[in-house]
Amino acid sequence: GAGVSQSPSNKVTEKGKDVELRCDPISGHTALYWYRQRLGQGLEFLIYFQGNSAPDKSGLPSDRFSAERTGESVSTLTIQRTQQEDSAVYLCASSLVRYGYTFGSGTRLTVV
Amino acid sequence: SQQGEEDPQALSIQEGENATMNCSYKTSINNLQWYRQNSGRGLVHLILIRSNEREKHSGRLRVTLDTSKKSSSLLITASRAADTASYFCATPEGGTDKLIFGTGTRLQVFP
């Protein structure tokens, strides 16, 4: 597609349940990033995939968070045993090396 | 960790006025980028300025970079109500393409 696609757009889940968020990057973009943005806050880096290199997971807040990417295509971010503090907008972006990011519209996660 | 911090945190102006936002960062960079975010969703890339550039223009946007002061500014000229958004600066961490975003400036343009 022409842009970065994220699904679902909105997700309401019960505390303790697992959720899976999906990101479809722009075809040909070698780099893919996940960020978290709490209400009224800035962007918090979570994880970064670059080609076939090992992902940079340094921003994942706990072992409940994990992400995968198949080659240079789709990525999924999984949050296990969700907590209320996980409520946020989860943003995915893709890019070519040394260029600006193209962001998706995000997934708004609400844990009740 | 946050690399950049924007100043001011919030800015309110009338249509037609100019808006200036500043960004300070901590470590050496090879480029600095500005993004706009409407309604708390996806960010839109506005402009990228490289470390060997001092000024760059794109339409009504003017970005400056002072590497000696580790600061950048974004000027929006002749603002419009549609410019109402949050604006973030971002810089790559170390030698990577991983961007670290600043805290953002919330701009409100009144018609």
PDB file of all heavy atoms in Angstrom, chain A residues 77-94:
ATOM      1  N   LEU A  77       3.176  -6.589  17.399  1.00  0.00           N
ATOM      2  CA  LEU A  77       3.576  -6.264  18.770  1.00  0.00           C
ATOM      3  C   LEU A  77       2.587  -6.960  19.689  1.00  0.00           C
ATOM      4  O   LEU A  77       1.377  -6.759  19.555  1.00  0.00           O
ATOM      5  CB  LEU A  77       3.546  -4.751  18.987  1.00  0.00           C
ATOM      6  CG  LEU A  77       3.836  -4.249  20.411  1.00  0.00           C
ATOM      7  CD1 LEU A  77       5.299  -4.487  20.782  1.00  0.00           C
ATOM      8  CD2 LEU A  77       3.510  -2.760  20.539  1.00  0.00           C
ATOM      9  N   THR A  78       3.093  -7.782  20.572  1.00  0.00           N
ATOM     10  CA  THR A  78       2.236  -8.549  21.484  1.00  0.00           C
ATOM     11  C   THR A  78       2.460  -8.065  22.913  1.00  0.00           C
ATOM     12  O   THR A  78       3.602  -7.908  23.353  1.00  0.00           O
ATOM     13  CB  THR A  78       2.548 -10.049  21.395  1.00  0.00           C
ATOM     14  OG1 THR A  78       2.344 -10.490  20.039  1.00  0.00           O
ATOM     15  CG2 THR A  78       1.640 -10.840  22.320  1.00  0.00           C
ATOM     16  N   ILE A  79       1.359  -7.831  23.590  1.00  0.00           N
ATOM     17  CA  ILE A  79       1.410  -7.477  25.012  1.00  0.00           C
ATOM     18  C   ILE A  79       0.651  -8.557  25.760  1.00  0.00           C
ATOM     19  O   ILE A  79      -0.547  -8.777  25.520  1.00  0.00           O
ATOM     20  CB  ILE A  79       0.778  -6.100  25.300  1.00  0.00           C
ATOM     21  CG1 ILE A  79       1.357  -5.028  24.370  1.00  0.00           C
ATOM     22  CG2 ILE A  79       1.002  -5.711  26.761  1.00  0.00           C
ATOM     23  CD1 ILE A  79       0.656  -3.679  24.477  1.00  0.00           C
ATOM     24  N   GLN A  80       1.358  -9.236  26.642  1.00  0.00           N
ATOM     25  CA  GLN A  80       0.728 -10.311  27.417  1.00  0.00           C
ATOM     26  C   GLN A  80       0.257  -9.770  28.769  1.00  0.00           C
ATOM     27  O   GLN A  80       0.845  -8.841  29.323  1.00  0.00           O
ATOM     28  CB  GLN A  80       1.741 -11.436  27.646  1.00  0.00           C
ATOM     29  CG  GLN A  80       2.172 -12.135  26.359  1.00  0.00           C
ATOM     30  CD  GLN A  80       3.212 -13.210  26.636  1.00  0.00           C
ATOM     31  OE1 GLN A  80       4.226 -12.963  27.290  1.00  0.00           O
ATOM     32  NE2 GLN A  80       2.952 -14.406  26.130  1.00  0.00           N
ATOM     33  N   ARG A  81      -0.795 -10.366  29.256  1.00  0.00           N
ATOM     34  CA  ARG A  81      -1.306 -10.038  30.610  1.00  0.00           C
ATOM     35  C   ARG A  81      -1.397  -8.512  30.773  1.00  0.00           C
ATOM     36  O   ARG A  81      -0.759  -7.911  31.643  1.00  0.00           O
ATOM     37  CB  ARG A  81      -0.400 -10.637  31.680  1.00  0.00           C
ATOM     38  CG  ARG A  81      -0.239 -12.153  31.540  1.00  0.00           C
ATOM     39  CD  ARG A  81       0.649 -12.719  32.636  1.00  0.00           C
ATOM     40  NE  ARG A  81       1.965 -12.127  32.697  1.00  0.00           N
ATOM     41  CZ  ARG A  81       2.970 -12.411  31.892  1.00  0.00           C
ATOM     42  NH1 ARG A  81       2.813 -13.305  30.928  1.00  0.00           N
ATOM     43  NH2 ARG A  81       4.155 -11.817  32.061  1.00  0.00           N
ATOM     44  N   THR A  82      -2.182  -7.894  29.926  1.00  0.00           N
ATOM     45  CA  THR A  82      -2.242  -6.429  29.880  1.00  0.00           C
ATOM     46  C   THR A  82      -2.595  -5.827  31.236  1.00  0.00           C
ATOM     47  O   THR A  82      -3.374  -6.404  32.018  1.00  0.00           O
ATOM     48  CB  THR A  82      -3.261  -5.948  28.842  1.00  0.00           C
ATOM     49  OG1 THR A  82      -4.507  -6.606  29.058  1.00  0.00           O
ATOM     50  CG2 THR A  82      -2.771  -6.202  27.429  1.00  0.00           C
ATOM     51  N   GLN A  83      -2.024  -4.667  31.482  1.00  0.00           N
ATOM     52  CA  GLN A  83      -2.268  -3.888  32.690  1.00  0.00           C
ATOM     53  C   GLN A  83      -2.847  -2.533  32.283  1.00  0.00           C
ATOM     54  O   GLN A  83      -2.687  -2.095  31.136  1.00  0.00           O
ATOM     55  CB  GLN A  83      -0.957  -3.679  33.460  1.00  0.00           C
ATOM     56  CG  GLN A  83      -0.231  -4.953  33.807  1.00  0.00           C
ATOM     57  CD  GLN A  83      -1.024  -5.802  34.796  1.00  0.00           C
ATOM     58  OE1 GLN A  83      -1.512  -5.286  35.799  1.00  0.00           O
ATOM     59  NE2 GLN A  83      -1.157  -7.082  34.514  1.00  0.00           N
ATOM     60  N   GLN A  84      -3.452  -1.853  33.224  1.00  0.00           N
ATOM     61  CA  GLN A  84      -4.061  -0.562  32.907  1.00  0.00           C
ATOM     62  C   GLN A  84      -3.024   0.455  32.440  1.00  0.00           C
ATOM     63  O   GLN A  84      -3.319   1.294  31.579  1.00  0.00           O
ATOM     64  CB  GLN A  84      -4.855  -0.034  34.097  1.00  0.00           C
ATOM     65  CG  GLN A  84      -6.161  -0.796  34.304  1.00  0.00           C
ATOM     66  CD  GLN A  84      -7.026  -0.210  35.392  1.00  0.00           C
ATOM     67  OE1 GLN A  84      -6.512   0.352  36.350  1.00  0.00           O
ATOM     68  NE2 GLN A  84      -8.334  -0.364  35.240  1.00  0.00           N
ATOM     69  N   GLU A  85      -1.802   0.347  32.943  1.00  0.00           N
ATOM     70  CA  GLU A  85      -0.774   1.297  32.517  1.00  0.00           C
ATOM     71  C   GLU A  85      -0.312   1.070  31.082  1.00  0.00           C
ATOM     72  O   GLU A  85       0.448   1.883  30.542  1.00  0.00           O
ATOM     73  CB  GLU A  85       0.447   1.262  33.451  1.00  0.00           C
ATOM     74  CG  GLU A  85       1.245  -0.018  33.417  1.00  0.00           C
ATOM     75  CD  GLU A  85       0.939  -0.924  34.585  1.00  0.00           C
ATOM     76  OE1 GLU A  85      -0.175  -0.830  35.127  1.00  0.00           O
ATOM     77  OE2 GLU A  85       1.825  -1.713  34.943  1.00  0.00           O
ATOM     78  N   ASP A  86      -0.779  -0.031  30.468  1.00  0.00           N
ATOM     79  CA  ASP A  86      -0.448  -0.269  29.059  1.00  0.00           C
ATOM     80  C   ASP A  86      -1.349   0.550  28.135  1.00  0.00           C
ATOM     81  O   ASP A  86      -1.103   0.614  26.922  1.00  0.00           O
ATOM     82  CB  ASP A  86      -0.603  -1.751  28.704  1.00  0.00           C
ATOM     83  CG  ASP A  86       0.313  -2.648  29.508  1.00  0.00           C
ATOM     84  OD1 ASP A  86       1.383  -2.173  29.964  1.00  0.00           O
ATOM     85  OD2 ASP A  86      -0.043  -3.834  29.699  1.00  0.00           O
ATOM     86  N   SER A  87      -2.384   1.149  28.674  1.00  0.00           N
ATOM     87  CA  SER A  87      -3.296   1.964  27.859  1.00  0.00           C
ATOM     88  C   SER A  87      -2.525   3.120  27.242  1.00  0.00           C
ATOM     89  O   SER A  87      -1.878   3.905  27.948  1.00  0.00           O
ATOM     90  CB  SER A  87      -4.446   2.506  28.705  1.00  0.00           C
ATOM     91  OG  SER A  87      -5.263   1.462  29.175  1.00  0.00           O
ATOM     92  N   ALA A  88      -2.595   3.201  25.920  1.00  0.00           N
ATOM     93  CA  ALA A  88      -1.824   4.213  25.181  1.00  0.00           C
ATOM     94  C   ALA A  88      -2.138   4.060  23.701  1.00  0.00           C
ATOM     95  O   ALA A  88      -2.852   3.140  23.294  1.00  0.00           O
ATOM     96  CB  ALA A  88      -0.322   4.021  25.400  1.00  0.00           C
ATOM     97  N   VAL A  89      -1.589   4.952  22.907  1.00  0.00           N
ATOM     98  CA  VAL A  89      -1.599   4.775  21.454  1.00  0.00           C
ATOM     99  C   VAL A  89      -0.265   4.162  21.069  1.00  0.00           C
ATOM    100  O   VAL A  89       0.801   4.658  21.467  1.00  0.00           O
ATOM    101  CB  VAL A  89      -1.805   6.114  20.718  1.00  0.00           C
ATOM    102  CG1 VAL A  89      -1.689   5.913  19.202  1.00  0.00           C
ATOM    103  CG2 VAL A  89      -3.172   6.711  21.064  1.00  0.00           C
ATOM    104  N   TYR A  90      -0.329   3.074  20.310  1.00  0.00           N
ATOM    105  CA  TYR A  90       0.873   2.389  19.859  1.00  0.00           C
ATOM    106  C   TYR A  90       1.080   2.751  18.384  1.00  0.00           C
ATOM    107  O   TYR A  90       0.223   2.476  17.542  1.00  0.00           O
ATOM    108  CB  TYR A  90       0.756   0.882  20.072  1.00  0.00           C
ATOM    109  CG  TYR A  90       0.837   0.552  21.540  1.00  0.00           C
ATOM    110  CD1 TYR A  90      -0.290   0.660  22.366  1.00  0.00           C
ATOM    111  CD2 TYR A  90       2.052   0.193  22.125  1.00  0.00           C
ATOM    112  CE1 TYR A  90      -0.210   0.413  23.717  1.00  0.00           C
ATOM    113  CE2 TYR A  90       2.138  -0.065  23.491  1.00  0.00           C
ATOM    114  CZ  TYR A  90       1.004   0.055  24.276  1.00  0.00           C
ATOM    115  OH  TYR A  90       1.095  -0.177  25.632  1.00  0.00           O
ATOM    116  N   LEU A  91       2.206   3.366  18.112  1.00  0.00           N
ATOM    117  CA  LEU A  91       2.496   3.881  16.772  1.00  0.00           C
ATOM    118  C   LEU A  91       3.595   3.057  16.116  1.00  0.00           C
ATOM    119  O   LEU A  91       4.607   2.740  16.743  1.00  0.00           O
ATOM    120  CB  LEU A  91       2.945   5.342  16.862  1.00  0.00           C
ATOM    121  CG  LEU A  91       1.872   6.330  17.315  1.00  0.00           C
ATOM    122  CD1 LEU A  91       2.505   7.631  17.792  1.00  0.00           C
ATOM    123  CD2 LEU A  91       0.901   6.623  16.185  1.00  0.00           C
ATOM    124  N   CYS A  92       3.389   2.758  14.867  1.00  0.00           N
ATOM    125  CA  CYS A  92       4.382   2.052  14.059  1.00  0.00           C
ATOM    126  C   CYS A  92       4.852   2.994  12.961  1.00  0.00           C
ATOM    127  O   CYS A  92       4.073   3.813  12.452  1.00  0.00           O
ATOM    128  CB  CYS A  92       3.743   0.805  13.457  1.00  0.00           C
ATOM    129  SG  CYS A  92       4.802  -0.082  12.294  1.00  0.00           S
ATOM    130  N   ALA A  93       6.116   2.897  12.603  1.00  0.00           N
ATOM    131  CA  ALA A  93       6.663   3.703  11.513  1.00  0.00           C
ATOM    132  C   ALA A  93       7.640   2.852  10.715  1.00  0.00           C
ATOM    133  O   ALA A  93       8.211   1.890  11.240  1.00  0.00           O
ATOM    134  CB  ALA A  93       7.366   4.941  12.054  1.00  0.00           C
ATOM    135  N   SER A  94       7.803   3.199   9.444  1.00  0.00           N
ATOM    136  CA  SER A  94       8.826   2.541   8.640  1.00  0.00           C
ATOM    137  C   SER A  94       9.634   3.594   7.901  1.00  0.00           C
ATOM    138  O   SER A  94       9.187   4.741   7.755  1.00  0.00           O
ATOM    139  CB  SER A  94       8.213   1.531   7.663  1.00  0.00           C
ATOM    140  OG  SER A  94       7.474   2.174   6.642  1.00  0.00           O
TER     141      SER A  94
END
